[in-house]
Amino acid sequence: MKLLRRSARRPELDPGKVALQARNVAFDWSAVDLHWMSAEPYASHLISALNMLLPEGERMFIVTYREALAYVKDEKLREDMLGFIGQESMHAETHEKVLREVLIANGIDAEPYVRQMEYLFRKTLGPRGGDDRAGRQMLVERLAFIACLEHFFAWLGDWVINADLEKFGADPRMADLFRWHGAEEVEHRNVAHDVAEYFGVGYVRRCASMVLVFPIFIALVVRGAKFLVHQDPRLPDHGYPRVIASVLGAMWRGALPGIPSLLVSALSTFQPGYSPENVGSTAQAVAYLAQSPAARAAAS
Ligand SMILES: [Fe+2]
Ligand SMILES: [Fe+2]
């Protein structure tokens, strides 16, 4: 499988922008260990934190795009936005299932973290309503935030498609979950950027949003990892310094993406002519999606 993934990453094979479609997936979540990368419990928790963070975050994307659609006259962009909404709905629904059938089923009380995400994404970043100037301005701010987050998701998607998680004893279902999601993030990586530009998000606002989004995103994921470590009876209940040290160790071994390369990627959005086009390969993403076990199981 890995050979196919790597061989597909050749620019000459890239099909360019593709029509976005939501792919159904079918997973059997019975008997998945919380340490789904058996050799890397801290990395398992850090990536699993996304199952608590993403459902609310992606639902905020969907609500915002539905609101934004009313102002979009460009037919191609509308089509991309509808494909994006379809894919993000499936992501949110699938991670919500993992939250219930893996994390909660294994004794994690996810409620406090999930409530905080609800507050953040529904109240702080939720719709303000109203067709006035302030309402429209808030919509544009949210679209700029989404574009920043989508840059990270595409980058992380590209990382996970190419990472050798199997080396750390990864459960194939969890690896496929994140690779399927990651591949669709690579596939639709241009949409949020195109939408933000359509709504007038320029260089200054893009950079300002990234300055805010980068630390918030890292903080939320690390907080989620600490939250899971705290509830894990098989790990010592360490404070942030030792949890962060363990996370950095996992990054060093390649079980997590490294902060320096994530930072370099964030800084690439500060280039005046930035485009998400080079964040990953559509050909490789589409090749992975064609062979994803969960996507194939749902199609059969
Ligand atoms: Fe997504
Ligand atoms: Fe996305």
Side-chain angles (χ1 to χ4, degrees):
M1 182 178 283
K2 199 155 168 211
L3 259 182
L4 174 56
R5 290 204 306 267
R6 293 229 162 106
S7 69
R9 196 174 190 187
R10 284 161 42 197
E12 69 273 20
L13 295 178
D14 208 288
K17 288 186 185 178
V18 290
L20 300 172
Q21 43 150 338
R23 294 168 187 82
N24 209 350
V25 278
F27 287 101
D28 170 9
W29 293 121
S30 54
V32 175
D33 197 306
L34 278 181
H35 300 180
W36 60 270
M37 280 190 270
S38 54
E40 292 285 352
Y42 289 89
S44 299
H45 284 324
L46 190 119
I47 297 178
S48 285
L50 294 172
N51 293 308
M52 300 189 293
L53 171 65
L54 289 174
E56 274 304 316
E58 294 186 311
R59 280 195 282 263
M60 183 279 271
F61 290 10
I62 294 162
V63 167
T64 306
Y65 271 43
R66 287 203 179 122
E67 193 182 331
L69 268 172
Y71 303 100
V72 177
K73 304 282 178 266
D74 181 317
E75 269 316 307
K76 175 71 181 80
L77 191 61
R78 288 181 65 84
E79 205 179 288
D80 284 349
M81 289 171 79
L82 291 170
F84 177 96
I85 289 171
Q87 291 191 338
E88 298 296 11
S89 307
M90 193 60 74
H91 300 166
E93 198 180 298
T94 306
H95 285 287
E96 178 92 42
K97 258 190 163 181
V98 184
L99 174 61
R100 280 188 269 109
E101 296 178 21
V102 177
L103 298 185
I104 296 173
N106 273 288
I108 297 293
D109 173 15
E111 192 74 7
Y113 187 93
V114 170
R115 289 286 87 82
Q116 286 171 12
M117 293 309 104
E118 265 181 27
Y119 185 84
L120 174 68
F121 289 111
R122 291 187 197 184
K123 300 272 186 226
T124 315
L125 291 169
R128 284 287 180 279
D131 210 9
D132 57 359
R133 200 176 145 81
R136 174 76 187 246
Q137 191 61 25
M138 186 59 197
L139 173 64
V140 175
E141 297 294 350
R142 284 151 62 210
L143 292 171
F145 260 62
I146 292 172
C148 288
L149 284 168
E150 283 290 291
H151 170 88
F152 286 127
F153 293 165
W155 190 87
L156 293 169
D158 182 52
W159 178 83
V160 80
I161 297 171
N162 292 287
D164 188 0
L165 300 183
E166 286 71 12
K167 188 168 80 178
F168 307 105
D171 183 306
R173 293 165 290 178
M174 289 293 268
D176 186 35
L177 166 76
F178 288 105
R179 286 179 182 142
W180 154 73
H181 187 167
E184 288 199 340
E185 292 301 325
V186 170
E187 188 186 37
H188 72 223
R189 65 192 179 283
N190 289 294
V191 178
H193 178 70
D194 292 349
V195 172
E197 288 209 319
Y198 186 86
F199 278 81
V201 173
Y203 179 76
V204 173
R205 199 192 296 259
R206 183 174 77 228
C207 297
S209 302
M210 185 53 89
V211 166
L212 278 176
V213 167
F214 183 78
I216 292 173
F217 178 65
I218 300 289
L220 289 178
V221 176
V222 172
R223 161 139 175 67
K226 166 77 172 66
F227 180 89
L228 292 174
V229 169
H230 174 66
Q231 293 197 38
D232 184 343
R234 287 185 286 165
L235 292 177
D237 187 14
H238 287 317
Y240 274 105
R242 290 176 76 172
V243 169
I244 290 171
S246 301
V247 165
L248 291 174
M251 284 178 183
W252 180 254
R253 292 184 290 277
L256 290 172
I259 291 277
S261 38
L262 189 57
L263 188 59
V264 167
S265 161
L267 288 174
S268 74
T269 65
F270 287 69
Q271 290 168 2
Y274 160 78
S275 151
E277 189 56 39
N278 298 326
V279 186
S281 149
T282 305
Q284 186 186 34
V286 170
Y288 182 79
L289 291 164
Q291 58 162 11
S292 155
R296 290 173 71 140
S300 63

